Amino acid sequence: VLLQSGPDVSFASCGMPYYIGGEITDRNQMAVQTPESLRKRFNIDVHVNTRVTKIDTDNKIVTATDETHPGSQTTIYYDQLILAVGSEPLKPPIPGISRKGLFALRNLQDMDAIVGWLNDMPNKCTTCSEYGTKMHAVVAGAGFVGLEMVEQLMRRGLEVTVVEMLPQVLGPLDVEMAAIIEDDLKAKGVNVVTGDGIQEFLPINGNEHGDDPSTVVKLRSGKLLPPAQIVILGMGVKPDTKVVAEAGIECTPRGHIVVNDYLQTNKESVWAAGDAIEVLNPIVGNGDKWAVPLAGPANRQGRMIADNIFRDGQNMRRFKGTYAASVVRVFELIGACVGMNEKMLSAKGLPFASIHVHPGSHAGYFPGAKSINFKLLFHPNTGQIWGAQAVGEEGVEKRIDVISTAMQGNLTVEDLGDLELCYAPPVGSAKDPVNIAGMAATNVLQGLVEQVDWKDLKRAASQPGVVILDVRNPGEIEKNGPLIEEGCNAKIINIPLDNLRARVREIPADTERIIVSCASGQRAYYACRILMQSQSAKVENLSGAFKTFSRVSERV
C-alpha cells in the first residue's frame, strides 16, 4: 500500500525547473510513474491525495485523510512501515510571504502554477513598461534549485534578480569556487545580491488591492528591488516530519528522522529513507552524521530497505552513509562537489590542506578544450581526501565522480596521481585533471613545495622582506593584469620562468620570503623548485595562482 499526499507519484522533481523554462516540453514526461502504472506493473495499491495524519506504532495503524474530501478518515494496518516523507520548502515568517505571485517549488502542482502564472502575468502587469519591456523575477536563495530557476527564467526572457543571505552563491562550494559562477551570472545579466536578506514582500505602490499583483521586495539593507512579477522561494528545505515526531519516532532537533545502519527507526517495523533522515558522514567517521537531501542516496536507501525487510533480520545490508556528490548546471558552466568544504572542516576543527589546479578538459592541442577549475581538500598528514570541487564548461562532473569513487574506496591523494583513466585527445589528457590534482596534493603532502593560500596573499604582501615573484610572461601580465597592485610592502618582480635561472640574482639578497605565482600554478611550482636550490629565503607557491586569486581578491 502506498499513501501519497497530492495527485502524483514518482514524478521528476529534479526536472521541474527545466519544464518551467521550456527545455523539457512534454508535460507527460514529468510523471515517471503513475498510480495506474504502479498498480499494473507492480500490483501496488496506490492511494493518492491521501495525507497521513497519525501513526500508531504500538498497534501498527496509520490514520489518513482524503485531501479531496476534508474530514474523511481512513485507518490502515501495516506489518512494515516505510517513511519516505521527504522535505518541504522553508517559508520563514517574512511579512508578505503569503502574497499571490510567490511560489515555492515542491511538486508538479507548484510547477504548473508557476507556468500558468508566467503565461498570464503579462496581461496583469501594469508596471512592466515603466521598468522595461521584460517581466522581472526575484529568486530568493542561490542554492542549486535557486540557480536552476535563475537560468530557466532567463531562458523564458525575464530579467532576474537572485537574493542570497550568505556572502556567496552556492553555499556547498567554497567562496573562490562559487565566485566563478557568480561572475558568470553577472556577465549573463543576472542581478546578483549576496550578503543581504529579504525583510518584506510589499504590494506595488503600497496598494494591496490593486489590479497589478506585482511584488516589491524590500531587503534588510533597506534597498527596494524593482517590482517583481514573480518571486521564487528557494530558501532551502526542512524535513516534513511533524506527524512522524508526534508518533514518538525519534528525530533530531532539526527534525530529521534518526535511523540506524539498516535504516530502521527507534520503533519496531518502522523504516525511513530520503530527504527526511539523518545519515552517517563516512568522511569524518566516528559516528558523525549529517543530512544530505539528494535523489541518488534516497533511491538507493529505498532499495536497501526493501532488501532488508525481505531478509527478515538475516544478512541485512548496511547503509554506509552519504558523500554528498552534487552537480548543477548554470548556463554554460557546470559546478560539482563531493565531500566536505572548508567551512565544514573548520567547523569540526579538522586539519586540512587544499590545492587549486586549472587543467584542460582534454588535450590542449585538440580544439575546444575548456579549463576546469579544480579544488582538492585533504588531510595534511595522511592524505585522506576530505572533498573536491570543480567548475567549468566540460568534463567537470566526471572528475568529481572519480573523486567520489576514490573517497568511497578510501584512496588518498597519492593514489589519485596513479589512477588509470580513459584518454583520447578529444575527451581527456594523458595526465587527467584528477591525476594532476593528486600530484599537486602529493607535492604538498611530501613537502616538495610549501603553499600560500589565496586568502593570505594580501596579508603576506603587507609585510617587509617579502618578494612576490610572478613568472608569467610580460604579455600575459599586460593582457590579464598584475597579480597584485603596487603599493604594498612586498617587492613585486616579474621574471618569466624560462629566464629564471639566468636572472635569479634580481631577487634581493636580504629577501626573507618569496611567494611565487603564474597563471594557473604549474610554472610557479617549477619556479619554486628552482629557487629552493639557490635561495636561503623561504619559498612558497600561491595556491591557485593568478586564476584563483584574481577572481576573489576583492573579497579578501
Side-chain angles (χ1 to χ4, degrees):
V1 178
L2 174 63
L3 308 180
Q4 173 66 46
S5 174
D8 301 296
V9 295
S10 190
F11 55 89
S13 57
C14 296
M16 292 190 295
Y18 304 102
Y19 179 78
I20 292 169
E23 276 196 82
I24 298 174
T25 57
D26 186 352
R27 172 64 169 74
N28 293 326
Q29 291 296 317
M30 302 305 296
V32 180
Q33 294 282 356
T34 66
E36 293 74 22
S37 67
L38 288 175
R39 291 189 188 105
K40 187 174 181 179
R41 179 170 296 180
F42 300 110
N43 195 31
I44 297 174
D45 184 9
V46 180
H47 298 254
V48 294
N49 297 310
T50 302
R51 176 169 288 278
V52 173
T53 57
K54 184 179 179 182
I55 301 170
D56 181 349
T57 58
D58 293 330
N59 297 299
K60 294 189 173 183
I61 299 173
V62 169
T63 303
T65 184
D66 185 339
E67 294 171 321
T68 63
H69 295 87
S72 63
Q73 185 169 292
T74 302
T75 56
I76 301 174
Y77 290 84
Y78 66 84
D79 297 307
Q80 303 286 336
L81 177 64
I82 303 170
L83 302 171
V85 292
S87 56
E88 58 183 337
L90 278 174
K91 295 185 75 173
I94 300 173
I97 199 167
S98 298
R99 283 180 49 77
K100 291 183 178 180
L102 277 65
F103 298 92
L105 183 58
R106 185 185 188 187
N107 52 43
L108 297 184
Q109 289 68 54
D110 295 332
M111 180 189 76
D112 291 336
I114 291 170
V115 171
W117 184 270
L118 287 169
N119 291 339
D120 192 43
M121 192 60 193
N123 303 319
K124 297 181 179 180
C125 179
T126 60
T127 58
C128 291
S129 59
E130 180 181 349
Y131 290 91
T133 56
K134 293 183 177 181
M135 291 198 301
H136 177 225
V138 171
V139 177
F144 288 112
V145 176
L147 292 191
E148 288 170 350
M149 284 302 302
V150 167
E151 177 195 56
Q152 294 302 312
L153 290 168
M154 290 280 286
R155 191 176 189 275
R156 287 188 65 120
L158 279 75
E159 293 183 348
V160 180
T161 297
V162 59
V163 180
E164 173 55 61
M165 188 164 59
L166 296 174
Q168 66 172 81
V169 302
L170 282 179
L173 300 185
D174 287 320
V175 63
E176 74 274 24
M177 305 300 291
I180 303 167
I181 292 177
E182 183 175 327
D183 289 348
D184 188 63
L185 287 167
K186 293 175 180 177
K188 295 291 193 299
V190 179
N191 178 27
V192 180
V193 178
T194 55
D196 203 352
I198 294 175
Q199 181 173 314
E200 191 171 2
F201 298 103
L202 300 165
I204 186 76
N205 298 323
N207 183 5
E208 189 67 66
H209 303 291
D211 294 332
D212 189 338
S214 299
T215 294
V216 175
V217 177
K218 182 179 181 180
L219 303 180
R220 291 180 181 177
S221 62
K223 181 180 179 180
L224 296 176
L225 298 179
Q229 285 66 60
I230 187 170
V231 176
I232 303 297
L233 303 174
M235 302 176 180
V237 295
K238 63 178 181 178
D240 189 4
T241 53
K242 182 175 181 293
V243 172
V244 175
E246 289 173 348
I249 296 167
E250 185 180 0
C251 295
T252 70
R254 296 180 60 191
H256 294 94
I257 302 169
V258 176
V259 295
N260 64 14
D261 292 354
Y262 306 107
L263 302 175
Q264 296 167 306
T265 71
N266 64 314
K267 296 295 185 178
E268 183 183 356
S269 303
V270 180
W271 313 71
D275 291 5
I277 70 171
E278 185 183 63
V279 297
L280 287 173
N281 180 343
I283 307 162
V284 176
N286 299 318
D288 190 79
K289 292 191 173 185
W290 57 354
V292 184
L294 293 171
N299 274 271
R300 296 193 301 277
Q301 290 159 11
R303 174 176 174 143
M304 186 172 291
I305 288 174
D307 286 349
N308 286 344
I309 287 173
F310 279 96
R311 292 185 182 192
D312 196 25
Q314 302 297 316
N315 300 315
M316 292 203 301
R317 296 174 59 199
R318 293 178 180 270
F319 187 71
K320 300 174 184 178
T322 297
Y323 289 80
S326 312
V327 64
V328 64
R329 187 196 74 186
V330 186
F331 300 110
E332 287 81 26
L333 289 179
I334 303 293
C337 59
V338 65
M340 303 178 72
N341 58 34
E342 282 194 19
K343 298 182 287 289
M344 296 174 183
L345 293 167
S346 296
K348 290 187 175 295
L350 294 170
F352 66 90
S354 66
I355 57 94
H356 298 78
V357 293
H358 306 274
S361 56
H362 59 250
Y365 60 81
F366 190 91
K370 305 293 185 181
S371 177
I372 297 177
N373 303 279
F374 196 105
K375 179 176 184 177
L376 185 65
L377 292 146
F378 56 97
H379 193 291
N381 299 323
T382 67
Q384 177 188 349
I385 304 167
W386 290 131
Q389 303 161 37
V391 178
E393 295 182 45
E394 180 183 280
V396 168
E397 69 287 347
K398 82 171 183 177
R399 271 69 189 212
I400 293 299
D401 284 341
V402 172
I403 298 295
S404 178
T405 304
M407 293 173 70
Q408 293 175 60
N410 295 316
L411 302 189
T412 68
V413 295
E414 294 176 276
D415 296 318
L416 296 181
D418 294 331
L419 289 180
E420 184 174 339
L421 304 170
C422 292
Y423 164 58
V427 295
S429 300
K431 285 191 294 188
D432 189 85
V434 172
N435 296 137
I436 292 172
M439 292 172 183
T442 300
N443 290 340
V444 175
L445 193 68
Q446 295 180 349
L448 297 178
V449 68
E450 292 190 52
Q451 289 196 127
V452 174
D453 193 79
W454 63 267
K455 294 188 289 295
D456 300 323
L457 180 62
K458 285 188 176 180
R459 188 185 312 115
S462 68
Q463 299 170 354
V466 174
V467 165
I468 296 176
L469 177 62
D470 193 332
V471 297
R472 291 179 292 166
N473 295 322
E476 293 178 79
I477 298 174
E478 183 178 351
K479 178 181 178 181
N480 299 316
L483 175 68
I484 194 167
E485 297 293 338
E486 298 283 353
C488 57
N489 287 329
K491 184 176 180 61
I492 302 171
I493 301 175
N494 172 222
I495 305 176
L497 173 64
D498 293 341
N499 305 129
L500 182 57
R501 285 185 173 87
R503 295 174 55 186
V504 72
R505 294 176 183 269
E506 294 178 25
I507 299 173
D510 60 350
T511 299
E512 299 176 4
R513 184 181 186 189
I514 305 171
I515 299 173
V516 189
S517 179
C518 61
S520 62
Q522 187 174 32
R523 283 175 291 173
Y525 170 74
Y526 297 150
C528 284
R529 295 298 297 168
I530 292 170
L531 292 170
M532 289 166 67
Q533 297 174 45
S534 63
Q535 299 291 308
S536 60
K538 183 177 183 180
V539 180
E540 298 165 289
N541 189 2
L542 176 63
S543 179
F546 177 83
K547 279 191 175 180
T548 297
F549 182 76
S550 62
R551 288 192 178 274
V552 286
S553 60
E554 298 304 317
R555 293 173 168 85
V556 179

